[in-house]
Amino acid sequence: MQKPKPVNKEYPEGSLVFVWNADAGMFNAVRDSLHKWISPETYSCRLCELTHGFSSAKREWKNFLEDFERPAFFYYRDTFRDSGIPVSFPEAFPLVLELQKDLWKVLLTPRDLEEIASLEALITALKSKISNP
C-alpha cells in the first residue's frame, strides 16, 4: 500500500478549499457573469451561483467567511492542479474540501451543491459538515 503524499504545509489544519467550476481570468469572469445573467439555468457552477451576484461575492457570504475563523482558499478549476493538494478525489467541480489530520476530505460534491437551494442553506450545510477543531 502506498503512503499518501505529504500535504503542502502552506495549508493549516482545518483549512477549507473552494474550487469553482470556472476558469481564471478577466475574460472568463465577464463571460461567466453574462452567462449567469442571460441563461442562469445552463450555468455550470452552482457554488458561484450561490455565493456571488452578477459581479462580486454576496455580503452574507463575505460575512460568513470572515466570521467563521477558518483559513479559506479559492481556486478555479484550471488553477487547482497548482494548489499542491493531491488530486485523489473526483475531478468534477465545484468542490468544497477540508484539511483534517493532514488529509483532504471532500465536504461538498457537485451533486451536493446542486441540491442546495440558497446561500443560507449552503452556509448551514458547511457548518454541519465541517469538523470541530
Side-chain angles (χ1 to χ4, degrees), residues 9-75:
K9 293 301 179 188
E10 73 180 82
Y11 299 102
E13 179 69 20
S15 291
L16 299 178
V17 168
F18 298 86
V19 185
W20 313 111
N21 191 27
D23 292 325
M26 183 57 72
F27 172 76
N28 291 316
V30 170
R31 186 185 67 199
D32 286 345
S33 289
L34 287 172
H35 190 165
K36 280 191 281 187
W37 180 60
I38 294 169
S39 184
E41 66 280 354
T42 64
Y43 189 66
S44 63
C45 185
R46 184 68 179 142
L47 183 59
C48 299
E49 286 180 284
L50 292 168
T51 61
H52 285 70
F54 183 67
S55 63
S56 64
K58 295 177 181 176
R59 167 90 36 222
E60 186 181 359
W61 178 243
K62 288 179 183 180
N63 291 343
F64 165 72
L65 292 172
E66 288 172 9
D67 295 343
F68 203 61
E69 298 180 5
R70 286 285 188 105
F73 300 87
F74 299 86
Y75 293 99

Short mmCIF file of all heavy atoms in Angstrom, two decimals, residues 9-75:
data_model
loop_
_atom_site.label_atom_id
_atom_site.label_comp_id
_atom_site.label_asym_id
_atom_site.label_seq_id
_atom_site.Cartn_x
_atom_site.Cartn_y
_atom_site.Cartn_z
N LYS A 9 2.41 22.13 3.22
CA LYS A 9 2.32 22.71 4.56
C LYS A 9 1.85 24.17 4.59
O LYS A 9 1.69 24.73 5.64
CB LYS A 9 3.67 22.59 5.28
CG LYS A 9 4.05 21.16 5.59
CD LYS A 9 3.00 20.50 6.45
CE LYS A 9 3.36 19.06 6.74
NZ LYS A 9 2.33 18.32 7.40
N GLU A 10 1.58 24.76 3.44
CA GLU A 10 1.05 26.11 3.47
C GLU A 10 -0.42 26.13 3.89
O GLU A 10 -0.97 27.17 4.16
CB GLU A 10 1.22 26.81 2.12
CG GLU A 10 0.29 26.32 1.04
CD GLU A 10 0.48 27.02 -0.27
OE1 GLU A 10 1.39 26.64 -1.01
OE2 GLU A 10 -0.27 27.96 -0.52
N TYR A 11 -1.04 24.98 3.96
CA TYR A 11 -2.44 24.90 4.38
C TYR A 11 -2.50 24.48 5.85
O TYR A 11 -2.17 23.36 6.18
CB TYR A 11 -3.20 23.86 3.54
CG TYR A 11 -3.22 24.18 2.07
CD1 TYR A 11 -2.38 23.51 1.19
CD2 TYR A 11 -4.09 25.13 1.56
CE1 TYR A 11 -2.40 23.79 -0.16
CE2 TYR A 11 -4.11 25.42 0.21
CZ TYR A 11 -3.27 24.74 -0.65
OH TYR A 11 -3.30 25.02 -1.98
N PRO A 12 -2.95 25.36 6.72
CA PRO A 12 -3.08 24.99 8.14
C PRO A 12 -4.20 23.98 8.34
O PRO A 12 -5.15 23.91 7.56
CB PRO A 12 -3.42 26.31 8.83
CG PRO A 12 -3.29 27.38 7.82
CD PRO A 12 -3.26 26.76 6.47
N GLU A 13 -4.10 23.22 9.41
CA GLU A 13 -5.14 22.26 9.78
C GLU A 13 -6.49 22.99 9.83
O GLU A 13 -6.60 24.11 10.33
CB GLU A 13 -4.82 21.66 11.15
CG GLU A 13 -5.85 20.68 11.66
CD GLU A 13 -5.90 19.37 10.88
OE1 GLU A 13 -4.94 19.03 10.18
OE2 GLU A 13 -6.92 18.69 10.98
N GLY A 14 -7.50 22.35 9.29
CA GLY A 14 -8.84 22.93 9.28
C GLY A 14 -9.12 23.84 8.09
O GLY A 14 -10.21 24.40 7.98
N SER A 15 -8.14 23.98 7.20
CA SER A 15 -8.34 24.83 6.02
C SER A 15 -9.51 24.34 5.18
O SER A 15 -9.74 23.13 5.07
CB SER A 15 -7.09 24.83 5.14
OG SER A 15 -6.02 25.48 5.75
N LEU A 16 -10.21 25.29 4.60
CA LEU A 16 -11.27 24.99 3.65
C LEU A 16 -10.79 25.41 2.27
O LEU A 16 -10.15 26.45 2.12
CB LEU A 16 -12.54 25.76 3.99
CG LEU A 16 -13.16 25.48 5.34
CD1 LEU A 16 -14.38 26.37 5.55
CD2 LEU A 16 -13.54 24.02 5.47
N VAL A 17 -11.08 24.60 1.28
CA VAL A 17 -10.74 24.93 -0.10
C VAL A 17 -12.01 24.85 -0.93
O VAL A 17 -12.73 23.86 -0.89
CB VAL A 17 -9.65 23.97 -0.66
CG1 VAL A 17 -9.51 24.13 -2.16
CG2 VAL A 17 -8.32 24.24 0.03
N PHE A 18 -12.25 25.92 -1.66
CA PHE A 18 -13.39 26.01 -2.55
C PHE A 18 -12.85 26.01 -3.98
O PHE A 18 -11.97 26.82 -4.30
CB PHE A 18 -14.17 27.30 -2.29
CG PHE A 18 -14.74 27.37 -0.90
CD1 PHE A 18 -13.97 27.87 0.16
CD2 PHE A 18 -16.02 26.93 -0.63
CE1 PHE A 18 -14.48 27.94 1.44
CE2 PHE A 18 -16.55 26.99 0.65
CZ PHE A 18 -15.78 27.49 1.69
N VAL A 19 -13.35 25.11 -4.81
CA VAL A 19 -12.90 25.04 -6.20
C VAL A 19 -14.10 25.34 -7.09
O VAL A 19 -15.08 24.59 -7.10
CB VAL A 19 -12.32 23.65 -6.55
CG1 VAL A 19 -11.74 23.67 -7.96
CG2 VAL A 19 -11.25 23.23 -5.54
N TRP A 20 -14.01 26.45 -7.80
CA TRP A 20 -15.08 26.88 -8.69
C TRP A 20 -15.08 26.05 -9.96
O TRP A 20 -14.02 25.66 -10.44
CB TRP A 20 -14.93 28.35 -9.07
CG TRP A 20 -14.63 29.29 -7.94
CD1 TRP A 20 -13.47 29.95 -7.71
CD2 TRP A 20 -15.51 29.67 -6.88
NE1 TRP A 20 -13.57 30.72 -6.59
CE2 TRP A 20 -14.81 30.57 -6.05
CE3 TRP A 20 -16.82 29.33 -6.56
CZ2 TRP A 20 -15.38 31.14 -4.93
CZ3 TRP A 20 -17.38 29.90 -5.43
CH2 TRP A 20 -16.68 30.80 -4.63
N ASN A 21 -16.22 25.85 -10.55
CA ASN A 21 -16.32 25.20 -11.86
C ASN A 21 -16.29 26.30 -12.92
O ASN A 21 -17.22 26.49 -13.70
CB ASN A 21 -17.60 24.37 -11.98
CG ASN A 21 -17.58 23.50 -13.22
OD1 ASN A 21 -16.53 23.13 -13.71
ND2 ASN A 21 -18.74 23.19 -13.74
N ALA A 22 -15.20 27.06 -12.91
CA ALA A 22 -15.00 28.17 -13.83
C ALA A 22 -13.49 28.33 -14.00
O ALA A 22 -12.71 27.81 -13.19
CB ALA A 22 -15.61 29.44 -13.25
N ASP A 23 -13.10 29.03 -15.04
CA ASP A 23 -11.67 29.25 -15.30
C ASP A 23 -11.27 30.65 -14.86
O ASP A 23 -12.10 31.56 -14.80
CB ASP A 23 -11.36 29.05 -16.78
CG ASP A 23 -11.53 27.60 -17.21
OD1 ASP A 23 -11.23 26.71 -16.39
OD2 ASP A 23 -11.96 27.35 -18.35
N ALA A 24 -9.98 30.81 -14.56
CA ALA A 24 -9.44 32.08 -14.09
C ALA A 24 -9.35 33.10 -15.23
O ALA A 24 -9.35 32.73 -16.41
CB ALA A 24 -8.05 31.85 -13.49
N GLY A 25 -9.25 34.36 -14.87
CA GLY A 25 -9.01 35.41 -15.84
C GLY A 25 -10.19 36.35 -16.00
O GLY A 25 -11.35 35.97 -15.80
N MET A 26 -9.87 37.58 -16.36
CA MET A 26 -10.89 38.63 -16.51
C MET A 26 -11.89 38.28 -17.62
O MET A 26 -13.09 38.44 -17.44
CB MET A 26 -10.22 39.98 -16.80
CG MET A 26 -11.22 41.12 -16.88
SD MET A 26 -12.25 41.32 -15.40
CE MET A 26 -11.05 41.97 -14.27
N PHE A 27 -11.41 37.80 -18.75
CA PHE A 27 -12.30 37.44 -19.85
C PHE A 27 -13.31 36.39 -19.38
O PHE A 27 -14.51 36.50 -19.64
CB PHE A 27 -11.53 36.93 -21.06
CG PHE A 27 -12.41 36.38 -22.14
CD1 PHE A 27 -13.11 37.23 -22.98
CD2 PHE A 27 -12.57 35.01 -22.29
CE1 PHE A 27 -13.95 36.72 -23.97
CE2 PHE A 27 -13.40 34.49 -23.27
CZ PHE A 27 -14.09 35.35 -24.11
N ASN A 28 -12.82 35.37 -18.68
CA ASN A 28 -13.70 34.31 -18.18
C ASN A 28 -14.69 34.83 -17.14
O ASN A 28 -15.84 34.40 -17.11
CB ASN A 28 -12.88 33.15 -17.61
CG ASN A 28 -12.14 32.42 -18.69
OD1 ASN A 28 -12.67 32.13 -19.75
ND2 ASN A 28 -10.87 32.12 -18.44
N ALA A 29 -14.25 35.76 -16.30
CA ALA A 29 -15.14 36.34 -15.28
C ALA A 29 -16.29 37.09 -15.95
O ALA A 29 -17.45 36.96 -15.56
CB ALA A 29 -14.37 37.26 -14.36
N VAL A 30 -15.97 37.87 -16.97
CA VAL A 30 -17.01 38.63 -17.68
C VAL A 30 -17.96 37.65 -18.39
O VAL A 30 -19.18 37.79 -18.32
CB VAL A 30 -16.37 39.62 -18.68
CG1 VAL A 30 -17.44 40.23 -19.59
CG2 VAL A 30 -15.62 40.71 -17.93
N ARG A 31 -17.39 36.66 -19.07
CA ARG A 31 -18.21 35.67 -19.78
C ARG A 31 -19.13 34.93 -18.80
O ARG A 31 -20.32 34.74 -19.07
CB ARG A 31 -17.31 34.68 -20.52
CG ARG A 31 -18.11 33.70 -21.39
CD ARG A 31 -17.24 32.67 -22.00
NE ARG A 31 -16.73 31.85 -20.91
CZ ARG A 31 -15.68 31.08 -20.99
NH1 ARG A 31 -15.00 30.99 -22.09
NH2 ARG A 31 -15.29 30.35 -19.96
N ASP A 32 -18.59 34.52 -17.64
CA ASP A 32 -19.39 33.82 -16.64
C ASP A 32 -20.51 34.70 -16.09
O ASP A 32 -21.64 34.24 -15.90
CB ASP A 32 -18.52 33.31 -15.49
CG ASP A 32 -17.67 32.12 -15.87
OD1 ASP A 32 -17.93 31.49 -16.92
OD2 ASP A 32 -16.72 31.82 -15.12
N SER A 33 -20.22 35.97 -15.84
CA SER A 33 -21.25 36.89 -15.35
C SER A 33 -22.37 37.04 -16.37
O SER A 33 -23.55 37.01 -16.01
CB SER A 33 -20.64 38.26 -15.04
OG SER A 33 -19.84 38.19 -13.90
N LEU A 34 -21.99 37.19 -17.62
CA LEU A 34 -23.01 37.30 -18.67
C LEU A 34 -23.82 36.01 -18.79
O LEU A 34 -25.05 36.06 -18.95
CB LEU A 34 -22.36 37.64 -20.01
CG LEU A 34 -21.84 39.07 -20.14
CD1 LEU A 34 -21.05 39.25 -21.42
CD2 LEU A 34 -22.98 40.07 -20.05
N HIS A 35 -23.15 34.88 -18.68
CA HIS A 35 -23.84 33.59 -18.76
C HIS A 35 -24.87 33.47 -17.63
O HIS A 35 -26.00 33.06 -17.85
CB HIS A 35 -22.83 32.46 -18.70
CG HIS A 35 -23.41 31.12 -19.00
ND1 HIS A 35 -22.63 30.04 -19.29
CD2 HIS A 35 -24.68 30.66 -19.05
CE1 HIS A 35 -23.41 28.98 -19.51
NE2 HIS A 35 -24.65 29.34 -19.35
N LYS A 36 -24.45 33.83 -16.40
CA LYS A 36 -25.37 33.77 -15.26
C LYS A 36 -26.58 34.68 -15.47
O LYS A 36 -27.69 34.35 -15.06
CB LYS A 36 -24.67 34.20 -13.96
CG LYS A 36 -23.81 33.13 -13.34
CD LYS A 36 -23.38 33.50 -11.94
CE LYS A 36 -22.23 34.46 -11.97
NZ LYS A 36 -21.66 34.73 -10.65
N TRP A 37 -26.38 35.81 -16.13
CA TRP A 37 -27.44 36.77 -16.34
C TRP A 37 -28.36 36.36 -17.48
O TRP A 37 -29.59 36.38 -17.37
CB TRP A 37 -26.83 38.14 -16.60
CG TRP A 37 -27.82 39.23 -16.83
CD1 TRP A 37 -28.79 39.65 -15.97
CD2 TRP A 37 -27.94 40.02 -18.00
NE1 TRP A 37 -29.50 40.69 -16.53
CE2 TRP A 37 -28.99 40.95 -17.78
CE3 TRP A 37 -27.25 40.08 -19.19
CZ2 TRP A 37 -29.36 41.87 -18.73
CZ3 TRP A 37 -27.62 41.02 -20.13
CH2 TRP A 37 -28.67 41.90 -19.90
N ILE A 38 -27.77 35.93 -18.61
CA ILE A 38 -28.54 35.61 -19.81
C ILE A 38 -29.21 34.24 -19.72
O ILE A 38 -30.37 34.07 -20.10
CB ILE A 38 -27.64 35.67 -21.06
CG1 ILE A 38 -27.18 37.12 -21.28
CG2 ILE A 38 -28.35 35.13 -22.30
CD1 ILE A 38 -26.09 37.28 -22.32
N SER A 39 -28.47 33.25 -19.21
CA SER A 39 -29.00 31.88 -19.21
C SER A 39 -28.64 31.17 -17.91
O SER A 39 -27.85 30.22 -17.90
CB SER A 39 -28.44 31.13 -20.42
OG SER A 39 -28.99 29.86 -20.50
N PRO A 40 -29.19 31.63 -16.78
CA PRO A 40 -28.80 31.06 -15.48
C PRO A 40 -29.07 29.56 -15.36
O PRO A 40 -28.35 28.86 -14.66
CB PRO A 40 -29.61 31.86 -14.47
CG PRO A 40 -30.71 32.48 -15.24
CD PRO A 40 -30.22 32.63 -16.65
N GLU A 41 -30.08 29.06 -16.05
CA GLU A 41 -30.41 27.64 -15.94
C GLU A 41 -29.36 26.74 -16.56
O GLU A 41 -29.32 25.54 -16.27
CB GLU A 41 -31.79 27.36 -16.56
CG GLU A 41 -31.90 27.56 -18.05
CD GLU A 41 -32.07 29.01 -18.49
OE1 GLU A 41 -32.22 29.91 -17.64
OE2 GLU A 41 -32.02 29.24 -19.70
N THR A 42 -28.47 27.27 -17.40
CA THR A 42 -27.42 26.44 -18.01
C THR A 42 -26.03 26.75 -17.44
O THR A 42 -25.05 26.19 -17.90
CB THR A 42 -27.38 26.63 -19.54
OG1 THR A 42 -27.02 27.98 -19.84
CG2 THR A 42 -28.71 26.27 -20.16
N TYR A 43 -25.98 27.62 -16.44
CA TYR A 43 -24.67 27.95 -15.85
C TYR A 43 -24.17 26.77 -15.03
O TYR A 43 -24.93 26.14 -14.30
CB TYR A 43 -24.79 29.21 -14.98
CG TYR A 43 -23.46 29.71 -14.52
CD1 TYR A 43 -22.53 30.20 -15.42
CD2 TYR A 43 -23.10 29.66 -13.18
CE1 TYR A 43 -21.29 30.63 -15.01
CE2 TYR A 43 -21.88 30.10 -12.75
CZ TYR A 43 -20.96 30.59 -13.67
OH TYR A 43 -19.72 31.01 -13.26
N SER A 44 -22.87 26.43 -15.16
CA SER A 44 -22.37 25.16 -14.62
C SER A 44 -21.69 25.23 -13.25
O SER A 44 -21.21 24.22 -12.77
CB SER A 44 -21.39 24.55 -15.62
OG SER A 44 -20.27 25.41 -15.78
N CYS A 45 -21.66 26.38 -12.61
CA CYS A 45 -21.02 26.44 -11.29
C CYS A 45 -22.04 26.85 -10.23
O CYS A 45 -22.29 28.03 -10.00
CB CYS A 45 -19.84 27.40 -11.27
SG CYS A 45 -18.97 27.36 -9.67
N ARG A 46 -22.62 25.85 -9.59
CA ARG A 46 -23.62 26.11 -8.55
C ARG A 46 -23.01 26.87 -7.37
O ARG A 46 -23.66 27.73 -6.78
CB ARG A 46 -24.23 24.78 -8.07
CG ARG A 46 -25.34 24.96 -7.08
CD ARG A 46 -26.56 25.59 -7.72
NE ARG A 46 -27.61 25.73 -6.73
CZ ARG A 46 -28.42 26.76 -6.66
NH1 ARG A 46 -28.34 27.72 -7.54
NH2 ARG A 46 -29.34 26.82 -5.73
N LEU A 47 -21.76 26.59 -7.05
CA LEU A 47 -21.09 27.30 -5.96
C LEU A 47 -21.00 28.79 -6.28
O LEU A 47 -21.26 29.63 -5.42
CB LEU A 47 -19.70 26.71 -5.72
CG LEU A 47 -18.88 27.28 -4.58
CD1 LEU A 47 -19.60 27.12 -3.24
CD2 LEU A 47 -17.51 26.60 -4.52
N CYS A 48 -20.67 29.12 -7.52
CA CYS A 48 -20.63 30.53 -7.94
C CYS A 48 -22.01 31.17 -7.84
O CYS A 48 -22.15 32.29 -7.35
CB CYS A 48 -20.15 30.64 -9.39
SG CYS A 48 -18.50 30.02 -9.71
N GLU A 49 -23.02 30.46 -8.32
CA GLU A 49 -24.39 30.98 -8.28
C GLU A 49 -24.83 31.30 -6.85
O GLU A 49 -25.48 32.31 -6.61
CB GLU A 49 -25.37 29.96 -8.85
CG GLU A 49 -25.32 29.82 -10.34
CD GLU A 49 -26.34 28.79 -10.79
OE1 GLU A 49 -26.07 27.59 -10.62
OE2 GLU A 49 -27.39 29.20 -11.29
N LEU A 50 -24.50 30.42 -5.93
CA LEU A 50 -24.93 30.59 -4.54
C LEU A 50 -24.20 31.72 -3.83
O LEU A 50 -24.79 32.43 -3.02
CB LEU A 50 -24.73 29.28 -3.76
CG LEU A 50 -25.63 28.13 -4.16
CD1 LEU A 50 -25.13 26.83 -3.53
CD2 LEU A 50 -27.08 28.39 -3.77
N THR A 51 -22.91 31.89 -4.12
CA THR A 51 -22.07 32.80 -3.34
C THR A 51 -21.83 34.16 -3.97
O THR A 51 -21.39 35.08 -3.30
CB THR A 51 -20.70 32.16 -3.05
OG1 THR A 51 -20.05 31.89 -4.30
CG2 THR A 51 -20.85 30.88 -2.25
N HIS A 52 -22.11 34.27 -5.27
CA HIS A 52 -21.80 35.52 -5.97
C HIS A 52 -23.02 36.06 -6.72
O HIS A 52 -23.83 35.30 -7.24
CB HIS A 52 -20.67 35.31 -6.98
CG HIS A 52 -19.34 35.19 -6.32
ND1 HIS A 52 -18.98 34.11 -5.55
CD2 HIS A 52 -18.29 36.04 -6.30
CE1 HIS A 52 -17.76 34.30 -5.09
NE2 HIS A 52 -17.32 35.46 -5.52
N GLY A 53 -23.08 37.38 -6.76
CA GLY A 53 -24.08 38.04 -7.59
C GLY A 53 -23.50 38.21 -8.99
O GLY A 53 -22.62 37.47 -9.42
N PHE A 54 -23.97 39.23 -9.68
CA PHE A 54 -23.55 39.46 -11.06
C PHE A 54 -22.06 39.78 -11.15
O PHE A 54 -21.37 39.29 -12.04
CB PHE A 54 -24.38 40.59 -11.68
CG PHE A 54 -24.05 40.85 -13.12
CD1 PHE A 54 -24.34 39.91 -14.10
CD2 PHE A 54 -23.45 42.04 -13.49
CE1 PHE A 54 -24.04 40.14 -15.42
CE2 PHE A 54 -23.16 42.28 -14.82
CZ PHE A 54 -23.44 41.34 -15.79
N SER A 55 -21.53 40.55 -10.19
CA SER A 55 -20.13 40.98 -10.33
C SER A 55 -19.26 40.76 -9.11
O SER A 55 -18.06 40.99 -9.17
CB SER A 55 -20.08 42.45 -10.74
OG SER A 55 -20.65 43.24 -9.71
N SER A 56 -19.82 40.35 -7.98
CA SER A 56 -18.99 40.18 -6.79
C SER A 56 -19.64 39.22 -5.80
O SER A 56 -20.80 38.84 -5.96
CB SER A 56 -18.76 41.54 -6.11
OG SER A 56 -19.97 42.07 -5.66
N ALA A 57 -18.86 38.89 -4.77
CA ALA A 57 -19.37 37.99 -3.72
C ALA A 57 -20.50 38.67 -2.95
O ALA A 57 -20.48 39.88 -2.73
CB ALA A 57 -18.25 37.62 -2.77
N LYS A 58 -21.48 37.88 -2.57
CA LYS A 58 -22.60 38.38 -1.78
C LYS A 58 -22.13 38.73 -0.37
O LYS A 58 -21.27 38.06 0.19
CB LYS A 58 -23.72 37.34 -1.73
CG LYS A 58 -24.33 37.07 -3.08
CD LYS A 58 -25.38 35.97 -3.01
CE LYS A 58 -25.98 35.70 -4.39
NZ LYS A 58 -26.93 34.58 -4.36
N ARG A 59 -22.70 39.76 0.19
CA ARG A 59 -22.32 40.25 1.53
C ARG A 59 -22.43 39.14 2.58
O ARG A 59 -21.54 38.96 3.40
CB ARG A 59 -23.21 41.44 1.92
CG ARG A 59 -23.13 41.84 3.36
CD ARG A 59 -22.12 42.87 3.77
NE ARG A 59 -21.89 43.92 2.81
CZ ARG A 59 -20.66 44.36 2.54
NH1 ARG A 59 -19.63 43.85 3.15
NH2 ARG A 59 -20.47 45.32 1.68
N GLU A 60 -23.52 38.37 2.56
CA GLU A 60 -23.71 37.29 3.54
C GLU A 60 -22.59 36.26 3.44
O GLU A 60 -22.13 35.72 4.45
CB GLU A 60 -25.07 36.63 3.32
CG GLU A 60 -25.41 35.60 4.37
CD GLU A 60 -26.76 34.93 4.12
OE1 GLU A 60 -27.45 35.27 3.14
OE2 GLU A 60 -27.11 34.05 4.91
N TRP A 61 -22.11 35.97 2.23
CA TRP A 61 -21.02 35.03 2.01
C TRP A 61 -19.71 35.59 2.58
O TRP A 61 -18.97 34.91 3.28
CB TRP A 61 -20.89 34.72 0.52
CG TRP A 61 -19.76 33.81 0.16
CD1 TRP A 61 -18.69 34.11 -0.63
CD2 TRP A 61 -19.59 32.44 0.54
NE1 TRP A 61 -17.86 33.02 -0.76
CE2 TRP A 61 -18.40 31.98 -0.05
CE3 TRP A 61 -20.33 31.57 1.33
CZ2 TRP A 61 -17.93 30.69 0.12
CZ3 TRP A 61 -19.86 30.27 1.51
CH2 TRP A 61 -18.69 29.84 0.91
N LYS A 62 -19.45 36.85 2.30
CA LYS A 62 -18.25 37.52 2.83
C LYS A 62 -18.26 37.50 4.35
O LYS A 62 -17.25 37.21 4.99
CB LYS A 62 -18.15 38.96 2.34
CG LYS A 62 -17.80 39.10 0.88
CD LYS A 62 -17.77 40.59 0.52
CE LYS A 62 -17.52 40.83 -0.92
NZ LYS A 62 -17.49 42.26 -1.27
N ASN A 63 -19.42 37.81 4.93
CA ASN A 63 -19.53 37.82 6.39
C ASN A 63 -19.29 36.43 6.98
O ASN A 63 -18.62 36.29 8.00
CB ASN A 63 -20.90 38.34 6.83
CG ASN A 63 -21.08 39.81 6.53
OD1 ASN A 63 -20.12 40.54 6.29
ND2 ASN A 63 -22.32 40.25 6.52
N PHE A 64 -19.85 35.41 6.35
CA PHE A 64 -19.64 34.04 6.81
C PHE A 64 -18.15 33.70 6.82
O PHE A 64 -17.64 33.17 7.81
CB PHE A 64 -20.40 33.05 5.92
CG PHE A 64 -19.96 31.63 6.11
CD1 PHE A 64 -20.29 30.93 7.26
CD2 PHE A 64 -19.21 30.98 5.13
CE1 PHE A 64 -19.87 29.61 7.44
CE2 PHE A 64 -18.79 29.67 5.30
CZ PHE A 64 -19.12 28.99 6.46
N LEU A 65 -17.46 34.00 5.74
CA LEU A 65 -16.04 33.66 5.65
C LEU A 65 -15.21 34.43 6.68
O LEU A 65 -14.29 33.86 7.28
CB LEU A 65 -15.51 33.95 4.24
CG LEU A 65 -16.07 33.04 3.15
CD1 LEU A 65 -15.63 33.54 1.78
CD2 LEU A 65 -15.66 31.60 3.36
N GLU A 66 -15.54 35.68 6.91
CA GLU A 66 -14.81 36.49 7.89
C GLU A 66 -15.06 36.01 9.32
O GLU A 66 -14.15 35.96 10.14
CB GLU A 66 -15.22 37.96 7.77
CG GLU A 66 -14.68 38.62 6.53
CD GLU A 66 -15.24 40.01 6.33
OE1 GLU A 66 -15.92 40.55 7.24
OE2 GLU A 66 -15.01 40.57 5.24
N ASP A 67 -16.29 35.65 9.63
CA ASP A 67 -16.67 35.27 10.99
C ASP A 67 -16.35 33.82 11.34
O ASP A 67 -16.28 33.47 12.51
CB ASP A 67 -18.17 35.49 11.22
CG ASP A 67 -18.55 36.96 11.14
OD1 ASP A 67 -17.66 37.82 11.24
OD2 ASP A 67 -19.75 37.24 10.95
N PHE A 68 -16.17 32.98 10.33
CA PHE A 68 -16.02 31.56 10.59
C PHE A 68 -14.66 31.18 11.17
O PHE A 68 -14.51 30.13 11.76
CB PHE A 68 -16.31 30.75 9.33
CG PHE A 68 -16.71 29.34 9.64
CD1 PHE A 68 -17.85 29.08 10.37
CD2 PHE A 68 -15.93 28.29 9.22
CE1 PHE A 68 -18.22 27.78 10.68
CE2 PHE A 68 -16.30 26.98 9.51
CZ PHE A 68 -17.44 26.73 10.24
N GLU A 69 -13.67 32.02 11.01
CA GLU A 69 -12.33 31.83 11.59
C GLU A 69 -11.65 30.54 11.14
O GLU A 69 -10.99 29.86 11.93
CB GLU A 69 -12.40 31.91 13.12
CG GLU A 69 -12.88 33.25 13.61
CD GLU A 69 -12.95 33.36 15.11
OE1 GLU A 69 -12.52 32.41 15.82
OE2 GLU A 69 -13.43 34.39 15.58
N ARG A 70 -11.82 30.20 9.90
CA ARG A 70 -11.10 29.08 9.28
C ARG A 70 -10.37 29.64 8.08
O ARG A 70 -10.93 30.46 7.35
CB ARG A 70 -12.06 28.00 8.78
CG ARG A 70 -12.69 27.14 9.83
CD ARG A 70 -11.66 26.13 10.36
NE ARG A 70 -12.30 25.17 11.22
CZ ARG A 70 -12.56 23.92 10.88
NH1 ARG A 70 -12.25 23.46 9.71
NH2 ARG A 70 -13.13 23.11 11.74
N PRO A 71 -9.14 29.21 7.84
CA PRO A 71 -8.46 29.65 6.62
C PRO A 71 -9.24 29.12 5.41
O PRO A 71 -9.61 27.95 5.39
CB PRO A 71 -7.08 29.02 6.70
CG PRO A 71 -6.96 28.40 8.04
CD PRO A 71 -8.32 28.32 8.65
N ALA A 72 -9.50 29.98 4.46
CA ALA A 72 -10.22 29.58 3.25
C ALA A 72 -9.38 29.93 2.03
O ALA A 72 -8.80 31.01 1.95
CB ALA A 72 -11.57 30.28 3.18
N PHE A 73 -9.31 29.00 1.10
CA PHE A 73 -8.55 29.17 -0.13
C PHE A 73 -9.50 28.90 -1.29
O PHE A 73 -10.37 28.03 -1.21
CB PHE A 73 -7.37 28.19 -0.18
CG PHE A 73 -6.41 28.39 0.96
CD1 PHE A 73 -6.61 27.74 2.17
CD2 PHE A 73 -5.33 29.24 0.83
CE1 PHE A 73 -5.73 27.93 3.23
CE2 PHE A 73 -4.45 29.44 1.89
CZ PHE A 73 -4.65 28.79 3.09
N PHE A 74 -9.31 29.65 -2.36
CA PHE A 74 -10.21 29.56 -3.51
C PHE A 74 -9.40 29.30 -4.77
O PHE A 74 -8.39 29.95 -5.00
CB PHE A 74 -11.01 30.86 -3.67
CG PHE A 74 -11.86 31.15 -2.47
CD1 PHE A 74 -11.34 31.82 -1.38
CD2 PHE A 74 -13.16 30.71 -2.43
CE1 PHE A 74 -12.13 32.06 -0.26
CE2 PHE A 74 -13.96 30.95 -1.32
CZ PHE A 74 -13.43 31.62 -0.23
N TYR A 75 -9.88 28.36 -5.57
CA TYR A 75 -9.23 28.02 -6.83
C TYR A 75 -10.27 27.91 -7.93
O TYR A 75 -11.41 27.55 -7.69
CB TYR A 75 -8.49 26.68 -6.73
CG TYR A 75 -7.32 26.72 -5.80
CD1 TYR A 75 -7.42 26.25 -4.50
CD2 TYR A 75 -6.10 27.25 -6.20
CE1 TYR A 75 -6.36 26.30 -3.62
CE2 TYR A 75 -5.02 27.32 -5.33
CZ TYR A 75 -5.16 26.85 -4.05
OH TYR A 75 -4.10 26.91 -3.19
#
